[in-house]
Structures are given as structure tokens and as C-alpha cells.
Amino acid sequence: MNSLEKQQEKPPILITEVGPRDGLQNEATSLSLTTKVQFINALSKTGVPEIEAGAFVSPKAIPKMADSDEVFRNISKIEGVTYSALVPNERGLDRALDVGVQKVAVFTAASNSFTLHNIHSTVEESINRLRPVVVRARRNNLKTRGYISTAVFCPYEGRIPPSRVVDVMRQLVALGIEEIALGETLGKASPRDISLLLDHVYAEVPTVRIVLHLHDTYGMAIANARTAWQQYGVVNFDASAGGLGGCPYAPGASGNVATENLVSAFKASGAIVSVDETRVVEAARPIFKELGRNMLSKPFNVAEATGKVRLAAP
Ligand code: HMG
Ligand code: MG
């Protein structure tokens, strides 16, 4: 068996498209409900298994997500795609349940300074607040994700020791949360940082499903994703069409790794990925047109069934 065949033996890469949430939460321009719905409907046809379509957070904190209820009511859900949303508290869960959300993502961080800015509580307080959310979500047969932001660097505290991430992770896993998304919030980590983090994570909590949520400020996200896949067998990654995104409380950090670039890089490495990256670009094009700027993604290789590779511009 050659090395390409060995890569293809691995389970497929599973991408959660977070453009409609992480991508749009921080934009200065307000997009119409119709534009958001069309974006999500177009993403539904790209082959991604999951789309984070909104956030049931305080509209005072994140005005751009205030219409998430209407977004969920109006999208055309496709069989085989899970439509998830951020939920900060029980009020958010009520809203999510009202509109038939299938999966909820609760969120905290590995650093108090970040949670104090982002959700006005310490890490401990935030876990106390999300506990009843998870209990009720599970009782309602919703799937669950727990985000841990600042898993490598915090904008206020600098480098975060992996032991602190593991400590938060243990508490989330104890609640019965099915997957943990490690937020590389600043997009500043290197493959070495990711290795150090994952060494600790898998040594301490070996059975948990890990998702890497990689922002791409310094262009390291693909190298980080590849390290996690090759060395640790991580197959779950978040990505954002066109590289949209950022967090209001992580100044200067850019969007998530562009979905089309991550998909193309994994395909070129011999991984199985169900996503059609050219469709991702087409889905994102109208959004960037309305935002009045260019996509952040690079031109990419499209590996066709023939084995030929052609270059596609974003
Ligand atoms: P709070 O300000 O501490 O106080 O909110 P509160 O609970 O009293 O709520 C304030 C106001 O919001 C009140 O309204 C509530 O009713 C209302 P008022 O009485 O003043 O009129 N409210 C709500 N309204 C609708 N839906 C709700 C809801 N909750 C409260 N669910 C809270 C604390 C956590 C709720 C707030 O700070 C919040 O919603 N923060 C959201 C922050 C956020 O969404 N940040 C971005 C996402 S995280 C991220 O991007 C990182 C990630 O991508 C991973 C990574 O990159 O690392 C996930
Ligand atoms: Mg993020």
C-alpha cells in the first residue's frame, strides 16, 4: 500500500461550516435575512455535513445574530446536514428549541479574562450557566458541542498552558457533551503548539471527539489542521466559506480558515472530503459582494476525479 492509499484508509474529514455564525457575527455590514438564508441554502448543497447557522445569544452583545430565529425558520434543511447554533444560556436554548435546532454549541474558554469580556462571567460561572442548558438539550435529544476558546493563546493573558484547557474539557465532558471544539481564537498557533495541546488532551481525555476551530490570522491554520490529522487522527474541523469571520472580543484576529482552502489542501493530501470547494466559493460570492470586499481565500487546486488538478480562483 502506498502512502496515498494509506491516507485514504483514514476516516473522512468532516467539516462544520461556521461562516453563517462566526463569519457574520462580527461584520460591520448588516446582511438581510434573505441573503443569510440564501447563503445557508447554498452551503447546504456543498457537501458539508454540518452548518453552524446562527447564535441565540443576547442581541445586545451580538446584534448581527439577532435574527437567528428567523434564519432557522426560513432555511431549507437538507437530509444529511446538521444545522447547529451557539447557545449561551437557558433563554438561548428556549429560542433554539422553538425553531427546531438539531445541535447546540455551548461556549466557554480556557481564560477568565476572555470569558469576562465575551460572556461577562468567569470560566467557572460560565460552566455553571451552561450546565442546565446541556441537561435540557440532552433531554430534548439535541446533539451537543462545547467550545473552549483561547485554547492556545488569549488576547488578554497570552499563552495558555494546555493543562488549563484540559481542566475545562474534563468539566464539559463530565456534563455529557459529545464533542469539544478547541478554539484557536487568535489564529496565532503553530503546528508545534497544536501538538503540545493535543498531546495533553489525548493523554488526559483520550475518548473525547475533538474538533479544531482554527482562525487563520497568520496563515498557519492549514498546517495546524494537517498536523492534527496526520499525527493525532483528528478528522473534525471548522471552517468558514471565503475565510469570513472573527470574534468581537479577539481584536485583530481574522476569520476561520477558508473552507475551500482547507478542503482542497486535505484532498491534495489524499484525504477523503465530501465537500465541493467550488460550490463553497459560489455560496460565499454574494456575501462578499454585499460586504464590498474580496474573499480571504487563496486560489486553490481542484483535484478532479480524473486525477488532474486545475487551479480555481476564489
Ligand atoms: P449579560 O450581559 O451578562 O447579562 O449576558 P444578562 O444575562 O442579564 O443579559 C443581558 C441582556 O441580554 C438582557 O436584556 C437579557 O434579557 C438579554 P435586557 O434585560 O438588558 O433588555 N439576553 C438575551 N436575549 C436573547 N437571547 C438570549 C439572551 N440572554 C440574555 N439568549 C450573555 C450574558 C452570555 C447572555 C451575553 O453576554 C451574550 O449573549 N454573549 C454572547 C457573546 C458572543 O456571542 N460572542 C461571540 C461568540 S463566541 C466566539 O466567537 C468564539 C468561538 O468562535 C470559538 C473561538 O473562536 O475561540 C465560538
Ligand atoms: Mg471563532
Side-chain angles (χ1 to χ4, degrees), residues 18 21-22 25 147 149 183 185 213 215 246-247 256:
V18 296
R21 194 281 302 171
D22 199 316
Q25 70 183 9
Y147 274 105
S149 288
T185 316
H213 175 99
H215 284 264
C247 173
N256 286 87

Side-chain angles (χ1 to χ4, degrees), residues 135-152:
V135 169
R136 273 182 61 212
R138 295 183 68 208
R139 210 181 288 145
N140 282 278
N141 296 319
L142 301 188
K143 296 181 192 166
T144 50
R145 160 187 282 209
Y147 274 105
I148 306 176
S149 288
T150 62
V152 184

Side-chain angles (χ1 to χ4, degrees), residues 108-139:
T108 182
S111 54
N112 281 322
S113 331
F114 185 78
T115 51
L116 283 166
H117 280 86
N118 194 34
I119 48 178
H120 311 150
S121 58
T122 62
V123 172
E124 190 183 346
E125 286 161 354
S126 74
I127 293 173
N128 289 336
R129 183 162 59 199
L130 62 83
R131 188 171 289 117
V133 175
V134 176
V135 169
R136 273 182 61 212
R138 295 183 68 208
R139 210 181 288 145

